[in-house]
Amino acid sequence: MDTNYYTKIIQTIRETLGNGDIESARSLCDEELGMPYIPSAYLGELEGLKREIASLQKEKQRTTRIEDPQELMDLLDDENGRFGVVAALSGLNLREYDEVLKKAFATITDRGLLSVLVELCARQQLHTEYTFTYDHTTYSFIPASLEMPEESEGVDACLALADEWLSNENPSMLKLANEALLRIALMRLPEGVSLDEAEPLTLAVVKKLYEQLASVQEWREFCEKNTIDENRIEEIGIEDLI
């Protein structure tokens, strides 16, 4: 198999871990290690990732049992403990952890963790206003007033466009596009996806998938068939598809 494949799959596993999705990373790693042949240059790295994932799973199991607010507050002082705090909060009644939430929003710097924390608060319909700053932008929001991705007209429009363009031509790419669009919508919380953004954002996702999974010629044929104006495409990073 092309060694570039292993470079990409290892990058995907690491980025999936970075986004906090330990189970998906474990599944990807186990799938690759289950193959009958793996080049020795990559076998050691995959086995190392498997050990790292196992360690993270143990840490997650430990932290998800933490209910003491002070212990959670203390964990937030350690950058390595912040994922565990969010994991612990996911199983708690957040109305009883207001001070922990305020400190979490003030100290967490990872955008993925911040988005998950916003989602947790929104799904529990908290009415307290929270604030966090990321990439020099400050966000203030009341969780109960937020629109979840599955409730968004903008996200619905994105999914409808992806279905129109890909359902007949490339169903497997459609599944990946839908997953990426929902992930992007989550990552944008507390902001949403507007109807005006639907076409450029969906095109950006589809273009990136074509770059990864198909050829330049196939992308050009797709644009011609669907009368796509490439000037309408929003810029997104490859991390948005992971």
Side-chain angles (χ1 to χ4, degrees):
M1 187 174 287
D2 186 354
T3 55
N4 189 46
Y5 166 83
Y6 288 100
T7 300
K8 288 181 178 178
I9 197 66
I10 288 170
Q11 178 187 6
T12 298
I13 293 170
R14 290 197 178 282
E15 290 175 341
T16 303
L17 272 181
N19 290 333
D21 192 348
I22 297 176
E23 287 303 315
S24 293
R26 181 193 60 78
S27 179
L28 284 169
C29 195
D30 287 346
E31 183 178 346
E32 292 308 314
L33 286 170
M35 294 295 178
Y37 171 75
I38 302 170
S40 57
Y42 300 96
L43 178 59
E45 191 166 0
L46 284 167
E47 289 176 337
L49 277 170
K50 184 177 176 67
R51 291 190 293 272
E52 181 180 342
I53 290 167
S55 176
L56 287 170
Q57 285 179 314
K58 288 181 181 178
E59 177 65 15
K60 180 180 179 181
Q61 290 170 356
R62 186 186 74 81
T63 54
T64 51
R65 292 192 293 270
I66 297 175
E67 298 182 6
D68 178 59
Q70 188 56 55
E71 189 172 355
L72 292 170
M73 297 273 275
D74 293 342
L75 274 173
L76 286 169
D77 291 327
D78 178 3
E79 185 175 352
N80 294 324
R82 292 169 189 168
F83 172 82
V85 171
V86 175
L89 290 172
S90 68
L92 299 173
N93 179 355
L94 298 184
R95 287 174 176 78
E96 300 175 3
Y97 292 85
D98 184 60
E99 291 305 313
V100 177
L101 291 171
K102 288 177 179 175
K103 183 172 181 178
F105 281 119
T107 56
I108 292 174
T109 56
D110 181 270
R111 188 61 173 94
L113 281 182
L114 286 167
S115 297
V116 170
L117 193 57
V118 173
E119 182 190 20
L120 291 174
C121 292
R123 295 201 183 280
Q124 291 200 23
Q125 292 286 290
L126 302 189
H127 289 272
T128 303
E129 183 176 62
Y130 295 103
T131 299
F132 70 86
T133 299
Y134 178 79
D135 195 22
H136 309 295
T137 300
T138 298
Y139 303 86
S140 294
F141 60 97
I142 297 174
S145 68
L146 297 182
E147 183 178 67
M148 293 290 94
E150 66 271 16
E151 302 166 343
S152 165
E153 289 185 6
V155 173
D156 283 346
C158 288
L159 299 176
L161 283 168
D163 185 74
E164 176 186 335
W165 290 330
L166 299 172
S167 60
N168 293 327
E169 301 296 325
N170 199 326
S172 59
M173 188 179 289
L174 172 62
K175 182 176 183 295
L176 293 172
N178 287 342
E179 290 173 353
L181 288 164
L182 290 169
R183 191 176 301 113
I184 290 169
L186 173 62
M187 287 292 290
R188 289 189 175 186
L189 289 174
E191 297 184 329
V193 176
S194 69
L195 283 171
D196 289 341
E197 293 177 284
E199 183 178 341
L201 178 59
T202 308
L203 282 173
V205 168
V206 173
K207 181 180 181 181
K208 196 68 72 173
L209 288 170
Y210 264 94
E211 290 174 351
Q212 285 188 299
L213 306 173
S215 65
V216 173
Q217 182 59 34
E218 287 174 293
W219 166 247
R220 288 173 178 165
E221 290 172 357
F222 168 83
C223 289
E224 183 176 352
K225 177 179 178 181
N226 294 282
T227 320
I228 300 300
D229 178 5
E230 290 204 57
N231 293 322
R232 288 275 294 150
I233 299 176
E234 182 175 323
E235 286 296 321
I236 62 170
I238 188 63
E239 66 275 3
D240 291 317
L241 300 185
I242 302 304

